[in-house]
Structures are given as C-alpha cells and as structure tokens.
Amino acid sequence: MIRTIVRGIGAALALAGVAFIGWRFAHAGVWQQVTGSAYAGRLLGLGLIATVVYLAGLCAMGIAWWSVQSAYMRQRPPLRPFLAVYATTQFAKYLPGNVGHFVGRHVLLRRHGVEHAALVMGTLTEAGFLVFAALVWAASDLRVLLPRVASGISSWQVLAIEVAALFIVVFVLQACRRRNARLAALVPLHAPWRLLAVLPLHLFLFATMAATLMIPAQAFPISPNAVWMLPAAAATSWIAGFLVIGAPAGIGVREAVFVAVLHGRLPESDILLLAAAFRIATFGGDVLFLLLGLLLGGRRYENEARPAALDEPA
C-alpha cells in the first residue's frame, strides 16, 4: 500500500514537472516560435518523427548506463528495473540545478542495495563517456568551445585518441586496485569488460540527436551542405549545456551555443526557429522516455519475484 502511494506521488510529481516545463516553454515563446512560423505545419509533422527518433537514442543511453553500473557490481543486474529507474529519473534534469536525475537514481538504487561507491563511480563514468561521445561528433566545431584547439582534427582522430586513453586508464586503474585495498573499495570496478558497449551506445545517442535536428531542418530551404553541419552543432551545444552547472537540461545555454556555431551559415531567424523545434522534439522524447519508465516499473513488475542481483553488494 505504501509503495503504491509513493509511486503515485512520484508519477504526480513527474507529470507536474512536465506541465512546469511546458509552461516555461510557453512563457519563453518557444511554442510560439514554432506554431507562428511560416513552416509551422511541416515543422510539427517532422517534429513528431524527430521525437520518436530521439526516444530511440534515450533508450540506448539507458542501456549504456545499465552497462556502466553493471561494471561496478559483482553480478550483472537485470536490465528492466534499472532502465525503469533511469527513465523515470532522467526527466528530473529539467529541475533547477540540473542534478535531480543523478540524485533520484542514487536514492532509488540505494534502496535496492547498490552500494554508494558503485553509484558515484557509475555517475562519473557515464558523464565521461557522454562527453567523449559528444566530442567525436563535435570535432569539426570544437574551436567554438576551445578556440586554441588546432583546426583540422577529424572525428576519427578524436575517437582513436579516446579509445586509446580509455584502455590505458582502465589498465592502470585495475593494476593500482590490485595493490591498494582502499582504492579497490572506492572504485569497485569488478567487470571492466562491461564498459565496451558504452561508447558505441553513446555515439548512437548523438547520432539520433543529430537526426532529431536534421529532420525538422527539412522544413527549411537549407542547402545539403548546411544540413550536414547540424550534427556537430547539436553535439557542441550539448557539451556546453552539460558543462554549465545549474542550467536545467542546459536550457538557454545550448541554444546560445547553437546560434554561435551556425552564425553566418544560416539566416539567424531560421537558426532560432530550428533551435526551438529541436528543443521541443527532445523535450517530447524525454516525456515519452518518462512514460516508458513508468510502464516498465508498474505494479505488475512489483508483484514479481525481486531479482536477487539487485540485492548483491557492489
């Protein structure tokens, strides 16, 4: 009974959060930018397709997080309850402070017996992999964030450097853990091979993010060359929003960087409209992901036998 009440309160808060962000978009004029434009009808239709595409990327990100968290546990936990936790807490990134999703996951999985050290390391590792994946996609526009970065670096070069660095870090870390019991307790990396799928899954996430931007762009009279600039712009603006602490889901920060990256390549009015359409599509994907999480964590699953792996100490 208590668990049902708590779940109902959580669902109500989540839906209240959706309503709050919807109001905030309306107050900032995001909805009006799209619905009041000359491209409104086509933008809305393409935006629905983009929303579903982005949802696929969010599912990949949830599976990647499960893989990360599994690496810090002695036994690989079942996917469904972990994905449910991830999907239902991810929407909290829209709350002020941009840390609600991290706190929510930590609290919920501590109740399932996952140790504090495993959760902290899982959060830090996921953040690192996300930035690495974004840097691969943003390679051509890195000078916007890092003006001193040498020009001409390719995505493949960035990827090769990152893969080499990851293997070196894991090898050195595991060697140090074997010699230092305290480090082994702080960094309980029991199954590093489970991290192998994480970077590809995050690269797929940013591929869907690029598509989420490129699909609505078809509503504009944009040249093919300009359309292919959008994936790097999406990744670069994501990095900026992620690194600026306190901005809920990077709102405002990502749009500003997006405009800066595409300045001079597209008419400014089209850039602003495309940024609004992209934000609405990603917000819609987050709402669908939240609903998926609520579905995966419904009462039917609560009545099943509790997986033993969830209670395994990390």
Short mmCIF file of all heavy atoms in Angstrom, two decimals, residues 134 136-144 155 206-207 209-215 217-218 222-238 257-267 271 274 278:
data_model
loop_
_atom_site.label_atom_id
_atom_site.label_comp_id
_atom_site.label_asym_id
_atom_site.label_seq_id
_atom_site.Cartn_x
_atom_site.Cartn_y
_atom_site.Cartn_z
N ALA A 134 30.26 12.92 -27.36
CA ALA A 134 29.90 14.22 -27.92
C ALA A 134 31.09 14.86 -28.63
O ALA A 134 30.93 15.48 -29.69
CB ALA A 134 29.40 15.14 -26.81
N VAL A 136 33.45 13.39 -30.24
CA VAL A 136 33.63 12.75 -31.55
C VAL A 136 32.73 13.43 -32.59
O VAL A 136 33.16 13.76 -33.69
CB VAL A 136 33.32 11.24 -31.47
CG1 VAL A 136 33.30 10.61 -32.87
CG2 VAL A 136 34.34 10.53 -30.59
N TRP A 137 31.47 13.65 -32.21
CA TRP A 137 30.53 14.26 -33.15
C TRP A 137 30.79 15.76 -33.33
O TRP A 137 30.47 16.32 -34.38
CB TRP A 137 29.10 14.06 -32.65
CG TRP A 137 28.57 12.70 -32.99
CD1 TRP A 137 28.64 11.57 -32.23
CD2 TRP A 137 27.89 12.32 -34.18
NE1 TRP A 137 28.05 10.51 -32.86
CE2 TRP A 137 27.58 10.94 -34.06
CE3 TRP A 137 27.50 13.00 -35.34
CZ2 TRP A 137 26.91 10.23 -35.07
CZ3 TRP A 137 26.82 12.31 -36.34
CH2 TRP A 137 26.54 10.94 -36.19
N ALA A 138 31.36 16.40 -32.32
CA ALA A 138 31.56 17.85 -32.37
C ALA A 138 32.93 18.24 -32.91
O ALA A 138 33.27 19.43 -32.91
CB ALA A 138 31.39 18.44 -30.96
N ALA A 139 33.72 17.29 -33.37
CA ALA A 139 35.12 17.54 -33.73
C ALA A 139 35.30 18.76 -34.64
O ALA A 139 36.19 19.58 -34.42
CB ALA A 139 35.72 16.30 -34.38
N SER A 140 34.45 18.89 -35.64
CA SER A 140 34.64 19.98 -36.61
C SER A 140 34.32 21.36 -36.04
O SER A 140 34.71 22.38 -36.62
CB SER A 140 33.78 19.73 -37.85
OG SER A 140 32.39 19.71 -37.50
N ASP A 141 33.60 21.40 -34.91
CA ASP A 141 33.22 22.68 -34.32
C ASP A 141 33.84 22.91 -32.94
O ASP A 141 33.40 23.78 -32.19
CB ASP A 141 31.69 22.79 -34.19
CG ASP A 141 31.03 23.16 -35.51
OD1 ASP A 141 31.70 23.83 -36.32
OD2 ASP A 141 29.87 22.78 -35.73
N LEU A 142 34.86 22.14 -32.60
CA LEU A 142 35.45 22.27 -31.27
C LEU A 142 36.05 23.65 -31.02
O LEU A 142 36.15 24.09 -29.89
CB LEU A 142 36.55 21.21 -31.08
CG LEU A 142 36.06 19.80 -30.75
CD1 LEU A 142 37.25 18.87 -30.56
CD2 LEU A 142 35.19 19.79 -29.51
N ARG A 143 36.42 24.33 -32.09
CA ARG A 143 37.03 25.66 -31.91
C ARG A 143 36.07 26.66 -31.30
O ARG A 143 36.49 27.67 -30.73
CB ARG A 143 37.54 26.17 -33.26
CG ARG A 143 38.84 25.50 -33.71
CD ARG A 143 39.17 25.85 -35.13
NE ARG A 143 38.20 25.30 -36.06
CZ ARG A 143 38.19 25.55 -37.37
NH1 ARG A 143 39.10 26.35 -37.88
NH2 ARG A 143 37.28 25.00 -38.15
N VAL A 144 34.74 26.39 -31.42
CA VAL A 144 33.76 27.29 -30.80
C VAL A 144 33.89 27.22 -29.28
O VAL A 144 33.80 28.25 -28.59
CB VAL A 144 32.34 26.91 -31.24
CG1 VAL A 144 31.31 27.75 -30.50
CG2 VAL A 144 32.19 27.08 -32.74
N SER A 155 36.90 13.53 -36.64
CA SER A 155 36.16 12.72 -35.66
C SER A 155 36.87 11.40 -35.42
O SER A 155 36.91 10.90 -34.29
CB SER A 155 34.73 12.47 -36.16
OG SER A 155 34.01 13.68 -36.22
N PHE A 206 24.13 10.27 -29.90
CA PHE A 206 24.38 11.55 -30.58
C PHE A 206 24.04 11.47 -32.06
O PHE A 206 23.77 12.51 -32.68
CB PHE A 206 25.82 11.99 -30.34
CG PHE A 206 26.02 12.55 -28.96
CD1 PHE A 206 26.50 11.76 -27.94
CD2 PHE A 206 25.66 13.86 -28.67
CE1 PHE A 206 26.66 12.26 -26.65
CE2 PHE A 206 25.80 14.37 -27.38
CZ PHE A 206 26.30 13.57 -26.37
N ALA A 207 24.03 10.26 -32.62
CA ALA A 207 23.54 10.10 -34.00
C ALA A 207 22.05 10.41 -34.05
O ALA A 207 21.57 11.10 -34.97
CB ALA A 207 23.82 8.68 -34.50
N MET A 209 20.50 12.28 -31.91
CA MET A 209 20.38 13.70 -31.63
C MET A 209 20.60 14.52 -32.90
O MET A 209 19.89 15.51 -33.16
CB MET A 209 21.40 14.11 -30.55
CG MET A 209 21.13 15.46 -29.92
SD MET A 209 22.31 15.85 -28.59
CE MET A 209 21.90 14.60 -27.38
N ALA A 210 21.58 14.09 -33.70
CA ALA A 210 21.82 14.76 -34.97
C ALA A 210 20.60 14.63 -35.88
O ALA A 210 20.17 15.61 -36.51
CB ALA A 210 23.06 14.16 -35.65
N ALA A 211 20.03 13.42 -35.93
CA ALA A 211 18.84 13.21 -36.77
C ALA A 211 17.66 14.03 -36.26
O ALA A 211 16.85 14.54 -37.06
CB ALA A 211 18.48 11.72 -36.78
N THR A 212 17.56 14.18 -34.93
CA THR A 212 16.47 14.96 -34.33
C THR A 212 16.54 16.42 -34.76
O THR A 212 15.53 17.12 -34.81
CB THR A 212 16.53 14.87 -32.79
OG1 THR A 212 16.48 13.49 -32.41
CG2 THR A 212 15.38 15.61 -32.14
N LEU A 213 17.73 16.87 -35.09
CA LEU A 213 17.92 18.24 -35.58
C LEU A 213 17.79 18.31 -37.11
O LEU A 213 17.21 19.25 -37.66
CB LEU A 213 19.30 18.75 -35.15
CG LEU A 213 19.64 20.21 -35.42
CD1 LEU A 213 18.60 21.13 -34.79
CD2 LEU A 213 21.02 20.53 -34.88
N MET A 214 18.30 17.29 -37.79
CA MET A 214 18.31 17.31 -39.25
C MET A 214 16.91 17.08 -39.84
O MET A 214 16.60 17.59 -40.92
CB MET A 214 19.27 16.25 -39.77
CG MET A 214 20.73 16.54 -39.43
SD MET A 214 21.83 15.14 -39.77
CE MET A 214 21.93 15.25 -41.56
N ILE A 215 16.08 16.30 -39.14
CA ILE A 215 14.73 16.02 -39.66
C ILE A 215 13.88 17.29 -39.73
O ILE A 215 13.31 17.60 -40.79
CB ILE A 215 14.05 14.92 -38.83
CG1 ILE A 215 14.75 13.57 -39.08
CG2 ILE A 215 12.56 14.80 -39.18
CD1 ILE A 215 14.30 12.45 -38.15
N ALA A 217 14.93 20.22 -39.93
CA ALA A 217 15.61 21.14 -40.86
C ALA A 217 15.10 20.98 -42.29
O ALA A 217 15.26 21.90 -43.12
CB ALA A 217 17.12 20.91 -40.82
N GLN A 218 14.48 19.83 -42.59
CA GLN A 218 13.95 19.63 -43.94
C GLN A 218 12.78 20.57 -44.24
O GLN A 218 12.41 20.71 -45.42
CB GLN A 218 13.48 18.17 -44.09
CG GLN A 218 14.55 17.13 -43.80
CD GLN A 218 15.81 17.34 -44.62
OE1 GLN A 218 15.74 17.50 -45.84
NE2 GLN A 218 16.95 17.34 -43.95
N ILE A 222 17.13 24.83 -46.82
CA ILE A 222 18.53 24.77 -46.42
C ILE A 222 19.30 23.90 -47.40
O ILE A 222 18.81 22.83 -47.81
CB ILE A 222 18.66 24.19 -45.00
CG1 ILE A 222 17.93 25.08 -44.00
CG2 ILE A 222 20.12 24.06 -44.59
CD1 ILE A 222 17.94 24.55 -42.58
N SER A 223 20.49 24.32 -47.77
CA SER A 223 21.30 23.54 -48.69
C SER A 223 21.78 22.26 -48.01
O SER A 223 21.93 22.21 -46.79
CB SER A 223 22.52 24.36 -49.14
OG SER A 223 23.42 24.54 -48.05
N PRO A 224 22.05 21.20 -48.78
CA PRO A 224 22.55 19.96 -48.20
C PRO A 224 23.83 20.16 -47.39
O PRO A 224 24.03 19.51 -46.35
CB PRO A 224 22.80 19.07 -49.43
CG PRO A 224 21.84 19.59 -50.46
CD PRO A 224 21.79 21.07 -50.22
N ASN A 225 24.70 21.04 -47.84
CA ASN A 225 25.94 21.30 -47.10
C ASN A 225 25.65 21.86 -45.71
O ASN A 225 26.30 21.48 -44.73
CB ASN A 225 26.84 22.27 -47.87
CG ASN A 225 27.44 21.64 -49.10
OD1 ASN A 225 27.55 20.42 -49.19
ND2 ASN A 225 27.83 22.46 -50.07
N ALA A 226 24.67 22.75 -45.63
CA ALA A 226 24.31 23.33 -44.34
C ALA A 226 23.69 22.29 -43.43
O ALA A 226 23.93 22.27 -42.22
CB ALA A 226 23.35 24.50 -44.55
N VAL A 227 22.88 21.38 -43.99
CA VAL A 227 22.24 20.33 -43.18
C VAL A 227 23.30 19.46 -42.52
O VAL A 227 23.17 19.06 -41.35
CB VAL A 227 21.30 19.48 -44.05
CG1 VAL A 227 20.84 18.23 -43.29
CG2 VAL A 227 20.10 20.29 -44.48
N TRP A 228 24.38 19.16 -43.24
CA TRP A 228 25.41 18.27 -42.69
C TRP A 228 26.32 18.97 -41.67
O TRP A 228 27.20 18.35 -41.09
CB TRP A 228 26.23 17.66 -43.81
CG TRP A 228 25.46 16.58 -44.51
CD1 TRP A 228 24.89 16.65 -45.74
CD2 TRP A 228 25.13 15.29 -43.98
NE1 TRP A 228 24.21 15.48 -46.02
CE2 TRP A 228 24.35 14.63 -44.96
CE3 TRP A 228 25.41 14.64 -42.78
CZ2 TRP A 228 23.85 13.34 -44.77
CZ3 TRP A 228 24.92 13.36 -42.60
CH2 TRP A 228 24.16 12.72 -43.58
N MET A 229 26.09 20.27 -41.46
CA MET A 229 26.78 20.97 -40.37
C MET A 229 26.05 20.78 -39.04
O MET A 229 26.62 21.02 -37.98
CB MET A 229 26.86 22.47 -40.67
CG MET A 229 27.67 22.85 -41.88
SD MET A 229 27.55 24.62 -42.19
CE MET A 229 28.48 24.77 -43.71
N LEU A 230 24.80 20.35 -39.11
CA LEU A 230 23.96 20.29 -37.93
C LEU A 230 24.40 19.25 -36.89
O LEU A 230 24.29 19.51 -35.69
CB LEU A 230 22.50 20.06 -38.32
CG LEU A 230 21.88 21.17 -39.19
CD1 LEU A 230 20.45 20.82 -39.54
CD2 LEU A 230 21.94 22.52 -38.47
N PRO A 231 24.88 18.05 -37.27
CA PRO A 231 25.29 17.09 -36.24
C PRO A 231 26.36 17.64 -35.30
O PRO A 231 26.26 17.47 -34.08
CB PRO A 231 25.82 15.91 -37.06
CG PRO A 231 25.04 15.97 -38.33
CD PRO A 231 24.90 17.43 -38.62
N ALA A 232 27.36 18.31 -35.85
CA ALA A 232 28.42 18.88 -35.00
C ALA A 232 27.85 20.01 -34.14
O ALA A 232 28.23 20.17 -32.97
CB ALA A 232 29.57 19.41 -35.86
N ALA A 233 26.93 20.78 -34.69
CA ALA A 233 26.31 21.87 -33.92
C ALA A 233 25.51 21.31 -32.74
O ALA A 233 25.55 21.86 -31.63
CB ALA A 233 25.41 22.71 -34.83
N ALA A 234 24.78 20.22 -32.99
CA ALA A 234 24.00 19.61 -31.91
C ALA A 234 24.91 19.10 -30.79
O ALA A 234 24.64 19.33 -29.60
CB ALA A 234 23.16 18.46 -32.47
N ALA A 235 26.00 18.42 -31.15
CA ALA A 235 26.91 17.87 -30.15
C ALA A 235 27.64 18.98 -29.40
O ALA A 235 27.82 18.90 -28.17
CB ALA A 235 27.92 16.93 -30.82
N THR A 236 28.07 20.02 -30.11
CA THR A 236 28.79 21.12 -29.47
C THR A 236 27.90 21.84 -28.47
O THR A 236 28.31 22.17 -27.35
CB THR A 236 29.30 22.12 -30.53
OG1 THR A 236 30.12 21.43 -31.48
CG2 THR A 236 30.11 23.23 -29.88
N SER A 237 26.65 22.10 -28.86
CA SER A 237 25.74 22.80 -27.95
C SER A 237 25.40 21.91 -26.75
O SER A 237 25.21 22.40 -25.63
CB SER A 237 24.46 23.21 -28.69
OG SER A 237 23.78 22.08 -29.22
N TRP A 238 25.33 20.58 -26.97
CA TRP A 238 25.07 19.66 -25.85
C TRP A 238 26.21 19.74 -24.84
O TRP A 238 25.97 19.78 -23.63
CB TRP A 238 24.91 18.22 -26.34
CG TRP A 238 24.64 17.26 -25.23
CD1 TRP A 238 23.42 16.88 -24.75
CD2 TRP A 238 25.61 16.61 -24.39
NE1 TRP A 238 23.57 16.02 -23.68
CE2 TRP A 238 24.90 15.83 -23.44
CE3 TRP A 238 27.00 16.59 -24.37
CZ2 TRP A 238 25.54 15.06 -22.47
CZ3 TRP A 238 27.64 15.82 -23.40
CH2 TRP A 238 26.92 15.06 -22.47
N VAL A 257 24.82 28.57 -27.72
CA VAL A 257 25.96 27.98 -28.44
C VAL A 257 25.55 27.53 -29.83
O VAL A 257 26.30 27.68 -30.79
CB VAL A 257 26.55 26.80 -27.62
CG1 VAL A 257 27.64 26.08 -28.42
CG2 VAL A 257 27.12 27.31 -26.31
N PHE A 258 24.35 26.99 -29.94
CA PHE A 258 23.84 26.56 -31.24
C PHE A 258 23.81 27.72 -32.23
O PHE A 258 24.24 27.59 -33.38
CB PHE A 258 22.43 25.98 -31.05
CG PHE A 258 21.82 25.40 -32.28
CD1 PHE A 258 22.23 24.17 -32.77
CD2 PHE A 258 20.81 26.06 -32.96
CE1 PHE A 258 21.67 23.63 -33.91
CE2 PHE A 258 20.24 25.53 -34.09
CZ PHE A 258 20.67 24.31 -34.57
N VAL A 259 23.34 28.87 -31.76
CA VAL A 259 23.30 30.07 -32.61
C VAL A 259 24.73 30.49 -32.97
O VAL A 259 25.01 30.86 -34.12
CB VAL A 259 22.55 31.21 -31.91
CG1 VAL A 259 22.69 32.51 -32.68
CG2 VAL A 259 21.07 30.86 -31.74
N ALA A 260 25.64 30.44 -32.00
CA ALA A 260 27.02 30.85 -32.25
C ALA A 260 27.70 29.94 -33.28
O ALA A 260 28.44 30.41 -34.16
CB ALA A 260 27.81 30.83 -30.94
N VAL A 261 27.44 28.64 -33.19
CA VAL A 261 28.06 27.68 -34.11
C VAL A 261 27.58 27.90 -35.54
O VAL A 261 28.37 27.83 -36.50
CB VAL A 261 27.75 26.23 -33.66
CG1 VAL A 261 28.16 25.23 -34.74
CG2 VAL A 261 28.50 25.91 -32.36
N LEU A 262 26.28 28.15 -35.71
CA LEU A 262 25.71 28.26 -37.05
C LEU A 262 25.65 29.69 -37.57
O LEU A 262 25.16 29.93 -38.68
CB LEU A 262 24.29 27.66 -37.06
CG LEU A 262 24.22 26.14 -36.82
CD1 LEU A 262 22.78 25.69 -36.77
CD2 LEU A 262 24.99 25.38 -37.88
N HIS A 263 26.16 30.63 -36.80
CA HIS A 263 26.13 32.04 -37.22
C HIS A 263 26.89 32.21 -38.54
O HIS A 263 28.02 31.77 -38.70
CB HIS A 263 26.78 32.93 -36.15
CG HIS A 263 26.78 34.38 -36.52
ND1 HIS A 263 25.63 35.13 -36.57
CD2 HIS A 263 27.80 35.22 -36.89
CE1 HIS A 263 25.93 36.37 -36.93
NE2 HIS A 263 27.24 36.45 -37.13
N GLY A 264 26.24 32.86 -39.48
CA GLY A 264 26.86 33.07 -40.79
C GLY A 264 26.63 31.93 -41.77
O GLY A 264 26.90 32.07 -42.96
N ARG A 265 26.16 30.79 -41.27
CA ARG A 265 25.92 29.64 -42.15
C ARG A 265 24.46 29.54 -42.56
O ARG A 265 24.14 28.99 -43.61
CB ARG A 265 26.34 28.35 -41.46
CG ARG A 265 27.80 28.33 -41.02
CD ARG A 265 28.12 27.05 -40.26
NE ARG A 265 29.50 27.03 -39.80
CZ ARG A 265 30.04 26.02 -39.11
NH1 ARG A 265 29.29 24.97 -38.80
NH2 ARG A 265 31.29 26.07 -38.73
N LEU A 266 23.58 30.06 -41.68
CA LEU A 266 22.14 30.06 -41.93
C LEU A 266 21.58 31.41 -41.51
O LEU A 266 22.18 32.10 -40.67
CB LEU A 266 21.44 28.95 -41.13
CG LEU A 266 21.78 27.49 -41.44
CD1 LEU A 266 21.12 26.59 -40.39
CD2 LEU A 266 21.30 27.13 -42.82
N PRO A 267 20.43 31.83 -42.06
CA PRO A 267 19.78 33.05 -41.57
C PRO A 267 19.48 32.92 -40.08
O PRO A 267 19.04 31.85 -39.62
CB PRO A 267 18.50 33.13 -42.40
CG PRO A 267 18.79 32.32 -43.63
CD PRO A 267 19.70 31.23 -43.19
N ILE A 271 17.85 29.83 -37.72
CA ILE A 271 18.62 29.17 -36.65
C ILE A 271 17.80 29.15 -35.36
O ILE A 271 17.71 28.12 -34.68
CB ILE A 271 19.96 29.90 -36.41
CG1 ILE A 271 20.86 29.81 -37.64
CG2 ILE A 271 20.69 29.29 -35.21
CD1 ILE A 271 22.13 30.64 -37.53
N LEU A 274 14.90 26.73 -35.71
CA LEU A 274 15.36 25.35 -35.69
C LEU A 274 15.76 24.93 -34.27
O LEU A 274 15.50 23.80 -33.85
CB LEU A 274 16.55 25.20 -36.64
CG LEU A 274 17.05 23.77 -36.90
CD1 LEU A 274 15.92 22.89 -37.39
CD2 LEU A 274 18.19 23.81 -37.91
N PHE A 278 14.08 21.89 -32.24
CA PHE A 278 14.94 20.84 -31.68
C PHE A 278 14.66 20.67 -30.19
O PHE A 278 14.55 19.55 -29.69
CB PHE A 278 16.41 21.24 -31.90
CG PHE A 278 17.41 20.26 -31.35
CD1 PHE A 278 17.44 18.95 -31.77
CD2 PHE A 278 18.34 20.68 -30.40
CE1 PHE A 278 18.38 18.05 -31.27
CE2 PHE A 278 19.28 19.79 -29.89
CZ PHE A 278 19.29 18.47 -30.32
#
